[in-house]
């Protein structure tokens, strides 16, 4: 039988130690007393946690060794800041720290270079939004964020857009009742609104088989090039409902034409 060992940064992941709850408690007590050896043992005993987290970023095309090293930084920060008196498991506390560290790395090392000034504006805006949300118990407006950090609204929007990582058109953005909405469903295609195949297949007769609402949605989506969100706003239903009605309508039309 073959071994499942995988080496990352020279570490044989198949031989990483597993700490018992008693060992974790004992080591953490030693760490709080300044025991560096205990700290190293605790770090090594939680490297499997880092490995489990970096699997989430397998589609990022980043080197696994780099992600592992960055994840270890997040793990170390978690160990240094963890309060064992709180009724929280260390892994529950550490995972968001590791994920956050990796996301910052991916954002700052994105192939699309963003200037330091833009990143500073974006980070200030994000921090101000969090602070205002806590103070008002609601989502702050762009105007409120702009006033809080004394930066024009346009600059804030531009900066926040600049730090976003590129995403796939097929990334899911919302799921309701088994229907998944993808990024591409929110994009209007004004160059090719599927009018070619609509005309070629003489869909006027097929569209007569639709309900008035389905007919209206198909017209808005494929003849006017509206996004599902725009259609939802116009006819006052959710985007998930628009997606479901659109799929049903297209299925009815295909069945009629086949």
């Amino acid at each position: 039988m073959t071994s499942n060992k995988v080496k990352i940064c020279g570490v044989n992941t198949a031989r990483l130690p597993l700490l018992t709850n008693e060992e974790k408690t004992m080591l953490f007590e030693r760490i709080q007393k300044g025991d560096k050896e205990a700290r190293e043992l605790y770090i090594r005993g939680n490297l499997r946690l880092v490995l489990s987290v970096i699997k989430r970023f397998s589609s990022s095309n980043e080197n696994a060794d780099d992600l592992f090293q960055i994840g270890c930084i997040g793990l170390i920060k978690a160990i240094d800041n963890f309060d064992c008196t709180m009724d929280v498991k260390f892994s529950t506390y550490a995972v968001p720290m590791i994920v956050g560290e990796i996301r910052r790395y991916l954002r700052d090392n994105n192939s699309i270079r963003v200037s330091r000034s833009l990143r500073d504006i974006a980070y200030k805006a994000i921090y101000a939004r969090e602070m205002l949300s806590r103070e008002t118990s609601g989502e702050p407006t762009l105007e409120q964020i702009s006033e809080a950090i004394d930066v024009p609204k346009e600059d804030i929007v531009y900066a926040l857009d600049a730090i976003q990582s590129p995403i796939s058109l097929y990334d899911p953005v919302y799921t309701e009742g088994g229907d998944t909405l993808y990024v591409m469903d929110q994009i209007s295609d004004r160059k090719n609104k599927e009018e070619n195949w609509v005309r070629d297949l003489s869909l006027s007769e097929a569209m007569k088989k639709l309900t008035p609402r389905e007919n209206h949605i198909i017209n808005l989506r494929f003849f006017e090039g509206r996004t599902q969100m725009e259609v939802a706003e116009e006819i006052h239903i959710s985007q998930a409902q628009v997606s479901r009605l659109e799929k049903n309508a297209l299925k009815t039309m295909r069945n009629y034409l086949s």
Side-chain angles (χ1 to χ4, degrees), residues 164-181:
Q164 298 301 313
S165 299
I167 60 175
S168 166
L169 289 175
Y170 295 94
D171 280 353
V173 294
Y174 182 73
T175 300
E176 179 182 289
D179 293 318
T180 302
L181 302 179

Side-chain angles (χ1 to χ4, degrees), residues 153-165:
K153 295 182 295 183
E154 296 77 10
D155 291 350
I156 293 175
V157 172
Y158 183 66
L160 290 174
D161 283 343
I163 66 170
Q164 298 301 313
S165 299

Side-chain angles (χ1 to χ4, degrees), residues 1 6 12 19 81 96-97 143 152 198 203 212 233 258:
M1 185 171 63
V6 175
N12 185 346
L19 298 176
N81 292 280
M97 296 280 284
E143 288 79 6
V198 169
L203 289 179
E233 290 176 355
S258 61

Side-chain angles (χ1 to χ4, degrees), residues 167-173 180-189 194 221 226-228 239 246:
I167 60 175
S168 166
L169 289 175
Y170 295 94
D171 280 353
V173 294
T180 302
L181 302 179
Y182 299 92
V183 172
M184 65 183 300
D185 293 328
Q186 298 179 302
I187 299 175
S188 172
D189 183 357
E194 299 195 23
R221 284 282 286 144
R226 304 282 192 89
T227 66
Q228 288 187 348
Q239 187 177 357
E246 178 184 314

